[in-house]
Amino acid sequence: MEAHAEHKPWFGLEQEYTLLDLSDRPYGWPPNGFPAPQGPYYCGVGTGKVVQRDIVDAHYKACLYAGVKIAGTNAEVMPAQWEFQVGPCEGIEMGDHLWIARYLLHRIAEDFGAKISVHPKPIPGDWNGAGLHTNFSTKEMRVEGGMKHIEAAIKKLEARHNEHIAVYGEDNDKRLTGRHETGAIDKFTWGVADRGASIRIPREVSAKGFGYFEDRRPASNADPYRITGIIVETCFGSAE
Ligand code: ADP
Ligand code: MN
Ligand code: MN
Ligand code: MN
């Protein structure tokens, strides 16, 4: 990070997680069955759509109070799954902030009798997995003309797909199936506003011509220091 500090690398992580009850079942799921199929839960509001919002809100406040750069939350596609976003953070501080945010989440969920799972595919089948989408930009990408720097970085990422997957979390093969809003683990793809790609360029970034991109491959249990480390290593390394 220090060697490339002049590029001012910014990261934003989207930490997805699942709330479990004491029997390791997603919180609020029927003990011997399943909830209705996915669809009404993402960014949901109300009973039957979301559970344990108190945890999410208490965690958000604790992070703000502690000085963690948390910036948002949302209910996820699978019921009992939530997400919080931390960032933008510059360089090594991304790992520091996410690590403390994870600690606070476990600590606060304890007060409410829920367990936190960061398994990338907590429930097999037609239920979304959990990721740690990693948004990235450099000072060159954030200004006019930035798209050519974004495209150059994506090219370098493509050449090192396997090296990245190797540090993007355990059991990620169960999640990166090419279904449930993921790209396939053995195939590097990118696109504008494409949730099924390895790398997504947000629609707004494409329209403006500069900004940042999202690496959707990291799993929810990945180590943020290793993710941010390899992204910087790849994007600032030589083309080969
Ligand atoms: P999604 O549409 O993928 O759900 P979110 O709104 O959940 O996106 O998360 C977007 C993330 O991108 C946030 O963590 C935010 O801090 C980060 N972000 C925004 N702008 C930049 C930027 N220029 N460089 C790096 N990260 C950024
Ligand atoms: Mn998100
Ligand atoms: Mn999400
Ligand atoms: Mn995302």
Side-chain angles (χ1 to χ4, degrees):
M1 288 298 174
E2 279 171 18
H4 305 293
E6 85 218 63
H7 297 288
K8 304 225 172 291
W10 287 7
F11 301 93
L13 292 178
E14 307 169 46
Q15 175 73 65
E16 295 178 341
Y17 61 94
T18 307
L19 295 170
L20 304 179
D21 62 24
L22 285 176
S23 56
D24 290 327
R25 194 81 180 135
Y27 212 97
W29 284 35
N32 299 308
F34 291 90
Q38 294 182 158
Y41 308 114
Y42 181 61
C43 299
V45 170
T47 300
K49 302 285 198 304
V50 296
V51 291
Q52 295 273 30
R53 192 186 296 275
D54 280 351
I55 293 174
V56 178
D57 288 348
H59 173 250
Y60 198 85
K61 287 181 193 172
C63 284
L64 291 177
Y65 193 78
V68 169
K69 293 181 178 175
I70 195 163
T73 65
N74 61 271
E76 268 302 333
V77 174
M78 185 183 97
Q81 201 169 88
W82 289 87
E83 169 181 316
F84 63 85
Q85 297 96 32
V86 178
C89 288
E90 189 167 323
I92 202 76
E93 73 167 8
M94 183 71 257
D96 301 343
H97 281 251
L98 191 78
W99 213 261
I100 296 298
R102 281 178 173 177
Y103 162 72
L104 289 172
L105 183 61
H106 282 87
R107 176 60 188 81
I108 282 156
E110 171 194 320
D111 288 346
F112 293 84
K115 295 191 198 177
I116 303 297
S117 167
V118 289
H119 194 280
K121 193 74 176 182
I123 306 290
D126 258 335
W127 302 100
N128 274 31
L132 187 62
H133 294 169
T134 301
N135 299 272
F136 175 66
S137 65
T138 62
K139 86 172 194 293
E140 296 80 12
M141 295 176 192
R142 290 190 291 269
V143 295
E144 216 136 307
M147 192 56 74
K148 67 174 184 288
H149 296 279
I150 290 174
E151 283 168 4
I154 290 173
K155 244 192 170 142
K156 291 181 171 180
L157 288 167
E158 178 165 28
R160 296 189 78 212
H161 178 66
N162 293 337
E163 289 90 334
H164 280 251
I165 290 294
V167 296
Y168 278 3
E170 303 276 317
D171 291 320
N172 209 10
D173 53 313
K174 299 187 172 70
R175 162 179 170 263
L176 293 181
T177 58
R179 300 183 58 223
H180 306 109
E181 304 175 51
T182 69
I185 196 161
D186 55 359
K187 209 171 119 212
F188 181 93
T189 57
W190 66 279
V192 174
D194 184 355
R195 290 173 192 269
S198 315
I199 306 284
R200 173 170 68 150
I201 297 178
R203 192 179 297 288
E204 187 205 351
V205 171
S206 165
K208 284 193 309 185
F210 62 92
Y212 64 100
F213 65 85
E214 176 190 36
D215 188 342
R216 298 176 61 82
R217 296 171 294 174
S220 45
N221 60 1
D223 176 342
Y225 295 104
R226 298 189 78 186
I227 301 172
T228 57
I230 196 168
I231 288 178
V232 157
E233 184 186 297
T234 298
C235 292
F236 299 130
S238 64
E240 254 50 53

